[in-house]
């Protein structure tokens, strides 16, 4: 009897959302490790496949989530739309981008220039931190608007730092002469990593908008 | 009068009684806010409306109907007058329901009575003080609905919605409002059906011992016609009223519950407030309070309110002579 009560209280949407976010977190962690490995010169293709696998799992979970989300005809239409927008944007702009970076790394034919290794490692760290903070923010939006609101500003400041790091790296890269393709592809890699960070901030901006919108609705 | 004529008249009364039930059901907007706030789907609304219409008719429909025309007419109220008023009210209700526009049944009835009174006794055929009093409430009903809903929305917003922290709390609060709204609406539907069906059945009660002996079967049939009115024409009306402005359970609650309470108090005190007018005005007030861009169909609804009195009167005048030929006094 007790088991039945516990079961009935589980919200399938919450469960899938949790599963999705933990899978996304896993993808961020794996990609972070791979970029670090690249900086240290021992990148493994198989490990990059794990990032791609995580992204694929996220896709399946997203589909399940959307199916359940729109099944509930009694739900609040604007809340359903907002949740749909959130999961779609994260999937496309963060998790999908992680997969893109992983595939990019699979075909990236060079080592990282020694003078930008620290910069890339810093940017990579920012990527991991901001992604994890975004997930925390997403969890907070469900239960605590005030904390989530604060978190969005932390994310914004992290993105600003990341932008500085990115321009420092590209500044060094653009001064280099010689191997144009290596310079171009390395700057592309930096751009791809920064793109994820930038997208995370965009999503946190959207969440801030929601936090403002709901109490005034 | 021969038995055949009496029996024929009795059959006419039964048919009118069923038509009244159908017409009132067709103009029943009780579930509009439940549909508009997406608390229930249209199918669920119609199912629930049917159940409560039949239950209300069976359990509460036994009450005796009100005396038509009492207090408004200064002329003797004959059977022909009663039937004319009922038929013209029914016709006007069905016409407005066909356009999906809610009107006040009371006002359609009063309009018909005014038509008959003017025709039968001219200026002196009507008790003008009663009519002026009703006109006063006719104007005041929507104002009360508008102001109260505006205020209740602001209070709910300030003290409940603004204090919600997180999407989950928001969702939970809306669920609670949905349950409260649904409970109240079901009760309203139940009592409204009982009241309206008793009015519909009132005109044949006493006309036949057979009806009195099989009252519950007749009430069941009346309830079914009432529900049929909701399902056939009433669905458009529910859709129209429910989508006049953006609704969710908490805002629907702000529009519906105070209106229901005031209507209940007003009715208990004998004040002829119109539920339909109050609800529509409440939705307009709600749209204003929410800063919603516009209220759909409100102009059409207000126009039909203004048309109700003269049109019901004209229909009644047109019907009176043919009916008085059929129903000798």
């Amino acid at each position: 009897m007790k088991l039945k009560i516990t079961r009935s209280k589980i919200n399938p949407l919450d469960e899938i959302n949790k599963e999705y976010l933990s899978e996304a977190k896993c993808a961020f962690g794996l990609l972070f490790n791979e970029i670090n490995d690249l900086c240290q010169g021992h990148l493994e293709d198989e490990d990059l496949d794990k990032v791609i696998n995580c992204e694929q799992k996220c896709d399946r979970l997203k589909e399940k989530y959307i199916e359940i989300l729109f099944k509930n005809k009694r739900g609040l239409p604007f809340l359903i739309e907002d949740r749909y927008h959130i999961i779609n944007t994260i999937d496309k702009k963060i998790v999908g981008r992680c997969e893109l970076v992983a595939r990019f790394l699979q075909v990236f034919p060079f080592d990282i220039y020694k003078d930008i290794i620290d910069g890339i490692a810093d940017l990579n760290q920012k990527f991991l931190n901001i992604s994890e903070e975004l997930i925390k923010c997403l969890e907070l939006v469900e239960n605590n608007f005030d904390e989530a609101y604060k978190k969005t500003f932390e994310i914004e400041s992290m993105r600003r730092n990341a932008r500085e790091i990115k321009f420092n790296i590209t500044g060094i890269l653009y001064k280099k002469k010689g191997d144009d393709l290596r310079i171009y592809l390395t700057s592309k890699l930096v751009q791809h990593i920064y793109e994820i960070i930038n997208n995370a901030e965009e999503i946190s901006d959207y969440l801030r908008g929601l936090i403002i919108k709901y109490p005034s609705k | 009068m021969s038995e055949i004529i009496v029996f024929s008249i009795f059959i006419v009364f039964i048919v009118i009684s069923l038509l009244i039930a159908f017409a009132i059901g067709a103009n029943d907007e009780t579930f509009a806010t439940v549909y508009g706030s997406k608390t229930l789907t249209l199918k669920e609304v119609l199912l629930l409306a049917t159940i409560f219409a039949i239950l209300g008719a069976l359990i509460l429909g036994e009450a005796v109907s009100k005396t038509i025309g009492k207090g408004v007419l200064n002329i003797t109220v004959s059977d022909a007058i009663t039937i004319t008023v009922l038929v013209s009210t029914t016709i006007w209700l069905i016409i407005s329901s066909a356009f999906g526009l809610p009107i006040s049944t009371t006002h359609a009835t009063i309009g018909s009575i005014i038509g008959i009174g003017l025709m039968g006794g001219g200026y002196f055929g009507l008790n003008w003080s009663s009519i002026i009093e009703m006109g006063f409430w006719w104007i005041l009903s929507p104002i009360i609905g508008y102001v109260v809903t505006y205020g209740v929305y602001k209070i709910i917003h300030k003290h409940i919605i603004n204090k919600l922290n997180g999407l989950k709390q928001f969702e939970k609060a809306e669920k609670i409002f949905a349950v409260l709204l649904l409970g109240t609406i079901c009760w309203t539907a139940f009592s409204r059906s009982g009241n309206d069906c008793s009015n519909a059945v009132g005109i044949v009660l006493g006309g036949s011992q057979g009806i009195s002996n099989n009252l519950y079967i007749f009430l069941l049939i009346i309830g079914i016609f009432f529900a049929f009115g909701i399902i056939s024409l009433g669905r458009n009306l529910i859709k129209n009223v429910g989508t006049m402005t953006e609704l969710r359970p908490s805002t629907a609650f702000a529009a519906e519950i105070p209106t229901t309470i005031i209507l209940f108090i007003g009715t208990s005190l004998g004040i002829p407030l119109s539920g339909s007018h109050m609800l529509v005005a409440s939705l307009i007030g709600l749209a204003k309070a929410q800063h919603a861009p516009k209220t759909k169909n409100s102009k059409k609804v207000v126009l039909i309110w203004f048309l109700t009195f003269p049109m019901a009167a004209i229909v009644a005048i047109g019907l009176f002579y043919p009916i008085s030929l059929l129903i000798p006094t």
Side-chain angles (χ1 to χ4, degrees):
Chain A
M1 190 63 186
K2 209 174 186 181
L3 184 70
K4 254 189 177 176
I5 292 165
T6 321
R7 258 191 192 171
S8 68
K9 278 191 175 172
I10 292 172
N11 181 346
L13 205 64
D14 281 351
E15 287 303 299
I16 293 174
N17 193 32
K18 266 185 202 163
E19 223 179 301
Y20 180 91
L21 293 180
S22 89
E23 205 60 51
K25 226 174 172 179
C26 175
F28 304 151
L30 285 168
L31 185 64
F32 170 78
N33 290 338
E34 290 319 296
I35 296 170
N36 269 349
D37 286 352
L38 174 75
C39 291
Q40 286 156 20
H42 51 82
L43 188 65
E44 294 291 335
D45 252 19
E46 289 159 17
D47 293 335
L48 287 168
D49 282 338
K50 285 182 192 165
V51 179
I52 296 165
N53 284 342
C54 276
E55 193 275 340
Q56 284 166 353
K57 274 187 198 167
C58 280
D59 270 348
R60 300 291 83 78
L61 289 167
K62 183 192 80 174
E63 283 156 18
K64 256 193 200 173
Y65 181 89
I66 292 171
E67 198 186 322
I68 296 172
L69 189 65
F70 284 98
K71 233 182 217 174
N72 185 4
K73 291 188 181 75
R74 261 176 286 283
L76 302 167
F78 51 88
L79 190 55
I80 290 175
E81 286 303 324
D82 289 336
R83 286 202 162 124
Y84 174 71
H85 185 77
I86 291 170
I87 197 151
N88 247 347
T89 322
I90 288 173
D91 197 61
K92 192 179 160 192
K93 292 194 163 184
I94 309 284
V95 185
R97 279 272 159 183
C98 285
E99 189 212 6
L100 183 109
V101 174
R103 289 191 187 277
F104 185 85
L105 289 178
Q106 278 182 333
V107 293
F108 187 71
F110 305 106
D111 287 331
I112 299 291
Y113 289 110
K114 284 210 168 92
D115 50 353
I116 60 162
I117 283 181
D118 285 348
I120 299 254
D122 276 355
L123 192 67
N124 193 25
Q125 190 60 54
K126 288 283 173 224
F127 149 69
L128 185 68
N129 293 349
I130 208 167
S131 311
E132 285 179 348
E133 289 304 302
L134 180 68
I135 287 181
K136 273 185 206 160
C137 188
L138 283 164
E139 286 162 352
L140 284 169
V141 158
E142 292 291 336
N143 297 306
N144 192 337
F145 279 156
D146 301 335
E147 287 301 314
Y149 190 71
K150 281 182 201 159
K151 193 65 79 190
T152 61
F153 286 103
E154 285 172 26
I155 290 172
E156 191 184 298
S157 113
M158 284 163 102
R159 201 268 304 165
R160 251 185 255 131
N161 292 341
R163 187 175 54 192
E164 225 165 88
I165 296 168
K166 176 200 141 186
F167 279 111
N168 285 341
I169 300 169
T170 44
I172 298 168
L173 278 175
Y174 292 168
K175 278 179 197 153
K176 286 189 186 298
K177 290 191 176 102
D179 197 343
D180 293 347
L181 184 66
R182 189 178 177 192
I183 295 166
Y184 172 72
L185 290 180
T186 309
S187 69
K188 199 90 183 140
L189 173 67
V190 172
Q191 185 56 35
H192 281 322
I193 299 170
Y194 177 72
E195 202 73 41
I196 302 174
I197 296 169
N198 195 40
N199 289 344
E201 198 234 354
E202 245 180 56
I203 295 169
S204 89
D205 267 358
Y206 176 76
L207 294 178
R208 197 185 304 156
L210 283 191
I211 295 163
I212 297 166
K213 178 177 98 172
Y214 273 85
S216 65
K217 238 189 168 321
Chain B
M1 226 186 304
S2 77
E3 262 182 42
I4 294 172
I5 293 173
V6 172
F7 182 71
S8 305
I9 291 170
F10 179 64
I11 294 295
V12 169
F13 270 59
I14 288 179
V15 171
I16 291 169
S17 172
L18 296 177
L19 273 176
I20 291 167
F22 172 83
I24 297 175
N27 210 270
D28 186 354
E29 77 294 325
T30 311
F31 277 92
T33 50
V34 174
Y35 167 73
S37 62
K38 312 264 187 312
T39 304
L40 295 179
T41 62
L42 188 62
K43 272 185 193 169
E44 291 165 337
V45 160
L46 294 177
L47 180 72
L48 219 56
T50 304
I51 293 169
F52 282 100
I54 293 170
L55 281 178
L58 277 175
I59 299 168
L60 303 176
E62 231 184 322
V64 185
S65 68
K66 286 175 249 169
T67 312
I68 303 252
K70 190 185 173 188
V72 179
L73 288 174
N74 282 341
I75 54 174
T76 317
V77 181
S78 64
D79 279 354
I81 288 178
T82 306
I83 294 302
T84 306
V85 167
L86 291 173
V87 172
S88 64
T89 304
T90 303
I91 289 171
W92 188 239
L93 275 173
I94 290 175
I95 290 171
S96 61
S97 305
F99 288 103
L101 302 169
I103 58 161
S104 161
T105 308
T106 313
H107 296 160
T109 313
I110 301 295
S112 306
I113 293 169
I114 290 173
I116 297 290
L118 284 174
M119 194 184 61
Y123 177 83
F124 299 102
L126 294 166
N127 181 349
W128 287 102
S129 63
S130 281
I131 290 169
I132 289 167
E133 191 198 334
M134 278 173 188
F136 172 73
W137 290 112
W138 184 74
I139 293 166
L140 209 64
S141 292
I143 295 172
I144 292 173
Y146 184 99
V147 172
V148 169
T149 297
Y150 190 95
V152 171
Y153 171 80
K154 291 287 179 194
I155 291 167
I156 288 179
H157 198 264
K158 191 180 172 191
H159 296 286
I160 300 174
I161 304 294
N162 260 348
K163 288 182 178 163
L164 296 174
N165 203 1
L167 295 178
K168 282 220 168 78
Q169 270 194 18
F170 195 85
E171 217 172 1
K172 203 176 166 188
E174 290 295 345
K175 271 184 191 164
I176 294 169
F177 277 118
V179 171
L180 292 173
L181 177 75
L182 194 60
T184 317
I185 294 293
C186 286
W187 174 251
T188 309
F190 176 70
S191 54
R192 186 169 174 169
S193 158
N195 184 46
D196 292 339
C197 290
S198 75
N199 284 342
V201 87
I203 65 161
V204 286
L205 266 184
S208 156
Q209 193 58 40
I211 288 285
S212 301
N213 289 346
N214 299 296
L215 183 63
Y216 286 104
I217 294 170
F218 191 63
L219 281 171
L220 177 69
I221 297 167
I222 287 279
I224 290 169
F225 267 75
F226 186 87
F228 182 54
I230 299 175
I231 294 167
S232 56
L233 292 179
R235 64 165 65 215
N236 291 332
L237 191 122
I238 288 170
K239 271 190 203 170
N240 263 356
V241 178
T243 53
M244 277 182 81
T245 187
E246 190 191 288
L247 285 176
R248 56 174 202 272
S250 63
T251 56
F253 179 90
E256 187 78 54
I257 307 303
T259 316
T260 310
I261 294 169
I262 291 171
L263 196 67
F264 176 76
I265 296 168
T267 311
S268 313
L269 297 173
I271 299 167
L273 293 168
S274 161
S276 306
H277 289 202
M278 279 179 74
L279 181 62
V280 170
S282 289
L283 293 174
I284 297 171
L286 184 66
K288 181 77 183 161
Q290 289 188 101
H291 306 289
K294 67 172 193 169
T295 322
K296 270 167 68 186
N297 300 321
S298 54
K299 280 181 191 162
K300 280 187 202 168
V301 174
V302 174
L303 179 71
I304 204 143
W305 289 354
F306 280 103
L307 283 177
T308 293
F309 276 119
M311 288 310 291
I314 290 167
V315 175
I317 291 168
L319 286 174
F320 181 68
Y321 280 113
I323 287 176
S324 24
L325 287 177
L326 281 172
I327 302 160
T329 45

